[in-house]
Amino acid sequence: MARILLGVSGGIAAYKAVELTRLAMAAGHSVRVVMTPSSRRFIGAATFEGITGAPVLTSEFEEDPMRGAFPGDPEPSHDPIGHLEIAANADLMVIAPASANTIAKLASGIADSMLTTSFLAVGCPVLLAPAMNEKMWHAPSTSRNVETLRQMGVHVMDPDAGSLASRGEAGKGRLPEPAEILSASESLLRESVTLPLDGRRVLVSAGGTREPVDGVRFIGNRSSGRMGRELASAAVRLGADVVLVEANPTGPVAAGIERVAVETTAEMQVALAERFQKADLLLMAAAPADFRPAELPEGKLHRDGSGLVLELVPTEDIVAGLSQGSRDDQLIVAFAAEWGPDGLSRARKKLDRKGVDLVVLNDVSDPAIGFDSPMNRVCIVGRDGEVELETATKREIAEGILDQAVRLAGWTGDDNR
Ligand SMILES: Cc1cc2nc3c(=O)[nH]c(=O)nc-3n(C[C@H](O)[C@H](O)[C@H](O)COP(=O)(O)O)c2cc1C
């Protein structure tokens, strides 16, 4: 997650900055918007404020109710100078759309609004997405200003070609699509920001396995795979290459995750074993069955008026098997879905019995958390003690679990460059 300072200047394409903001927020970034006075004639500040949950600033003399902080960050206790504080906190400044006028101001160092003053004050990379009429884009002064900015180290995207806002006109000058601007922003962030899981490979298991009883029936469990998918997404946000081995997938996965679908515990064991050697971190959030039917009759079992006794045999203990062959530089996090108050002592025993580094315990007897709930509450059990994560969304819990794993491993991102 990065702090993106989005500058919006005056042009028809200002409305597309709303979609850019939405996409950036959905990707987990924290966004603050600064608008030039003329951009407010094209689009209202309330839209950005509604999406980001933070006030929009236009003048450097305006009081910033958030004192330069980004959403999700604590506000400083003092009253800082707004444009200096917001600029210092940004990981990336994006100006989209960048008008010809704003480009000219930035190239010559004019600082007469919150946007232009912040631009001078930032220490982070800056990405400009120009949008204007084709004649304005090809005007010698605009070409010169763009060249000046590029020489200053500012990243200026080329506008797209196509139909333009002015009636019947076409040519080069369209704002690149918001998704493209976000992808260019994320490339810049990857180059400039070190994330703790940069270059690390994370293997995540998720979902409930199904053990066939006959050709049409299975024994399953209530795991929805949500916790595992959130862990996979959180690991991607921290810079990792992520493979998710998911039993019987039910929901979509975020971009950047390679998903391998499996059905049974045996299939999951094979899929994980094939990939484990390359992994730095294994997060075993799946709920593999502990037992499977001893026999698999062909076709469908038919009722014959009498009962049916199924013989069950134990499945492979996936995590114990993987931990036996693990290297010292690999970290394994197991999960324990326990029922009731004895959970903690069972989780502590599991830590040693399975030879893992952390056990994430959750109490599945509480219907408000756990299986198929968007919320969870866990206790992370390690050899040095326990860390409780109070009831929160599974996304927040996933971030908390990764935080503990990264801390235990001592990964910084720089150690792996
Ligand atoms: C309807 C309309 C559309 C405009 N569209 C653009 C545009 O797409 N790109 C641009 O550079 N200027 C455009 N302008 C001109 C800018 O709004 C004008 O240069 C303004 O001073 C820019 O101020 P700012 O850079 O501080 O936002 C447009 C003006 C109007 C009236």
Side-chain angles (χ1 to χ4, degrees):
M1 186 205 88
R3 295 169 191 83
I4 298 178
L5 178 58
L6 174 62
V8 180
S9 60
I12 301 273
Y15 76 93
K16 292 190 185 169
V18 174
E19 177 66 356
L20 174 59
T21 308
R22 193 191 66 76
L23 291 176
M25 302 274 303
H29 302 295
S30 167
V31 182
R32 290 246 13 209
V33 176
V34 292
M35 299 178 75
T36 63
S38 57
S39 73
R40 297 184 76 147
R41 301 179 68 143
F42 293 89
I43 176 119
T47 310
F48 292 111
E49 289 176 341
I51 298 176
T52 61
V56 167
L57 303 172
T58 298
S59 162
E60 65 279 31
F61 295 102
E62 244 172 292
E63 182 103 0
D64 176 9
M66 285 179 66
R67 300 185 184 143
F70 278 68
D73 288 342
E75 288 171 24
S77 50
H78 64 293
D79 238 341
I81 298 178
H83 61 276
L84 296 183
E85 187 71 12
I86 212 167
N89 287 333
D91 299 315
L92 176 72
M93 183 172 193
V94 179
I95 302 178
S99 67
N101 177 58
T102 288
I103 287 172
K105 286 183 181 179
L106 300 182
S108 51
I110 291 174
D112 63 348
S113 71
M114 184 66 190
L115 186 155
T116 50
T117 315
S118 304
F119 170 79
L120 284 184
V122 290
C124 62
V126 182
L127 177 71
L128 252 61
M132 63 197 72
N133 176 277
E134 187 178 35
K135 293 191 191 75
M136 291 170 76
W137 174 248
H138 288 304
S141 51
T142 304
S143 302
R144 190 192 59 224
N145 292 332
V146 166
E147 190 46 38
T148 303
L149 286 166
R150 284 185 171 146
Q151 278 173 10
M152 284 158 53
V154 175
H155 302 266
V156 185
M157 294 179 81
D158 263 345
D160 281 352
S163 60
L164 299 171
S166 34
R167 266 177 127 198
E169 278 199 64
K172 196 165 178 177
R174 281 171 66 85
L175 186 74
E177 286 307 314
E180 241 181 89
I181 301 174
L182 179 61
S183 146
S185 305
E186 289 183 329
S187 301
L188 275 179
L189 282 165
R190 272 193 292 277
E191 284 168 25
S192 62
V193 179
T194 306
L195 297 166
L197 291 180
D198 269 344
R200 300 271 170 205
R201 291 168 198 248
V202 175
L203 185 56
V204 185
S205 73
T209 58
R210 292 175 179 175
E211 306 302 328
V213 170
D214 62 12
V216 294
R217 302 180 180 93
F218 59 81
I219 298 175
N221 62 65
R222 291 175 48 213
S223 169
S224 64
R226 263 192 211 214
M227 195 62 239
R229 289 194 297 274
E230 288 294 357
L231 282 162
S233 303
V236 166
R237 290 197 296 277
L238 291 180
D241 285 339
V242 180
V243 179
L244 172 68
V245 175
E246 185 169 359
N248 309 295
T250 51
V253 282
I257 297 171
E258 180 192 336
R259 177 157 67 180
V260 179
V262 295
E263 187 186 350
T264 62
T265 300
E267 283 175 22
M268 176 166 278
Q269 193 265 330
V270 170
L272 289 172
E274 278 172 6
R275 292 162 180 85
F276 180 63
Q277 280 309 308
K278 285 190 180 165
D280 296 292
L281 170 63
L282 170 66
L283 298 159
M284 205 45 212
D290 293 328
F291 307 97
R292 71 166 153 263
E295 282 171 21
L296 176 55
E298 239 176 69
K300 186 182 167 198
L301 289 170
H302 291 285
R303 91 166 59 222
D304 63 2
S306 56
L308 172 70
V309 177
L310 273 182
E311 188 195 344
L312 301 178
V313 293
T315 54
E316 15 323 83
D317 187 336
I318 300 179
V319 75
L322 293 174
S323 92
Q324 254 176 22
S326 67
R327 300 185 309 270
D328 287 350
D329 62 348
Q330 290 179 302
L331 201 81
I332 303 181
V333 180
F335 283 67
E338 296 288 353
W339 190 279
D342 295 339
L344 185 57
S345 66
R346 278 202 293 270
R348 284 198 191 115
K349 283 182 198 140
K350 191 168 183 175
L351 196 66
D352 290 324
R353 199 178 67 245
K354 306 259 180 182
V356 298
D357 301 282
L358 296 172
V359 171
V360 179
L361 163 71
N362 67 339
D363 182 356
V364 286
S365 69
D366 181 348
I369 57 165
F371 287 140
D372 210 15
S373 160
M375 309 300 283
N376 207 349
R377 183 182 68 237
V378 302
C379 175
I380 305 173
V381 183
R383 295 202 162 69
D384 299 339
E386 287 96 42
V387 175
E388 303 262 359
L389 300 183
E390 287 309 321
T391 306
T393 61
K394 284 190 172 168
R395 179 189 169 117
E396 288 164 325
I397 295 289
E399 286 166 356
I401 292 168
L402 277 171
D403 193 38
Q404 291 303 317
V406 163
R407 227 177 260 223
L408 185 61
W411 292 326
T412 60
D414 281 325
D415 54 337
N416 200 32
R417 287 218 148 181

